[in-house]
Amino acid sequence: MTGETQEARDNRGPFAILFGVSVATALGNTGMLSVLPAIGRQIGIPDAMVAAIFSLSAVLWAITSPIWARQSDIRGRKPLILLGLGGFCLSMSLCAIVVSAGLRHVAAPMVIFVLFLLSRAIFGGFGSAANPATQAYMAERTSREERTQTMATLAGATGLGTVVGPLLAPLFVLPIVTLAGPMFAFAVLAAVMLFVVHRGLPETFKPVGGGETPPRRRRALPFLGGGSDVALWKDERLKPFLIFGFLVASCQTAQTQTLGFLIIDKLGLSPIKAQGFITLAMAAGAVAGLLAQWGLIRMFRMGPRELMRWGVGCAAVGNAVVAFAPDYAAVAIGYAIACLGYGFARPGFTAGASLSVGARDQAGAAGAIAAINGLNVVVAPLFVLLYERVGWGPFVLNAAILVGLLAYALRQAMLRAISQAGPETEATIAGLERADEGGV
């Protein structure tokens, strides 16, 4: 652009702060995820229970996200952003303390597991407040013409944190704090961002008085079945995308949470020594996902229909490679291929869901997508449990599900007919990925 509007200049500082909030949250989530397998093995928590640490938080995320979205209309954006960031900081701090206790064998592994589960649940219950408030803050301060690029920048912040988080985490595995070090570091980063938001983020939103629900949010919760409206998750326009999206997100979460255990076992190293290899593989997958979202989608002007088809096909191939990989290099390559596919498929169904409903149902559709993005984490422990029985099992099961989704995308009427908008509009919308509880 040759010139910058006054609106863009005024928003530069606040948006930079919110960009930092998104990066910090993504750093913490993916950084912790990358060290979880080593933590579980060191403490003695069964692998499936390590994966289950995110489950309660995921359920709370799905329930509370639309509630906090409504509260941001009543109480203002900044208070909810502070609440979400504070919840993230508190959760990460408590997780670090619990992990430290577990590594020092202060309590039995099952006691540590329960405390870890509850500490993480704080993020699901309160950390979820920041995401809808941040999106609403940005939307209110941009024109329609500039909003898409602004939201794409926010999605890019999450993507950047997803790449950098696993790379930073091993740097904080220090002699005294060991594997709890990354969580202490990310808690400090969140505290810094909390101070920055408190002091530097202006709030011009005028909250709705009297606790009355604003009219434009009355459909923010329909997918939970509340109110007199027909639940959006039963809407025939949206249901195919929710089914597709839930299964794709479940496959990605299951593969990501199983990856660390596979690498530790494949290399035959101690959990701490294997951490660097886990980090590199996760970073390779994150880069592949960003390549899809930041480059290939726009380069080839791919719409939701093409993204869903190519995405699940590519992810199926990647899972098959991981399932029968003879060595670490093949595991890392297969994981990167799968993440490239997820980088296509997840924005594809998100954009497809948005394009399938009218303007007044956009908030409800976004809430439904946020719910399935959180709830998919609940099924991950089942895949890890399968891995404990049959090493290649979860990846073959993933590949089978993804091949089934390819057939579904080719045959289901709504998924076949979604490309109604112009290719430039579709490619832009498809690049906007919404954050989820698991951070993957």
Side-chain angles (χ1 to χ4, degrees), residues 297 300-310 344 347-348 351-352 355 418-419 421-423 425-428 430:
I297 290 176
F300 295 106
R301 301 174 69 188
M302 301 169 74
R305 182 172 58 190
E306 292 74 24
L307 288 172
M308 288 187 287
R309 294 175 182 180
W310 281 100
F344 286 142
L355 292 169
I418 190 55
S419 292
T425 302
E426 288 186 347
T428 302

Side-chain angles (χ1 to χ4, degrees), residues 102 134 391:
T134 297

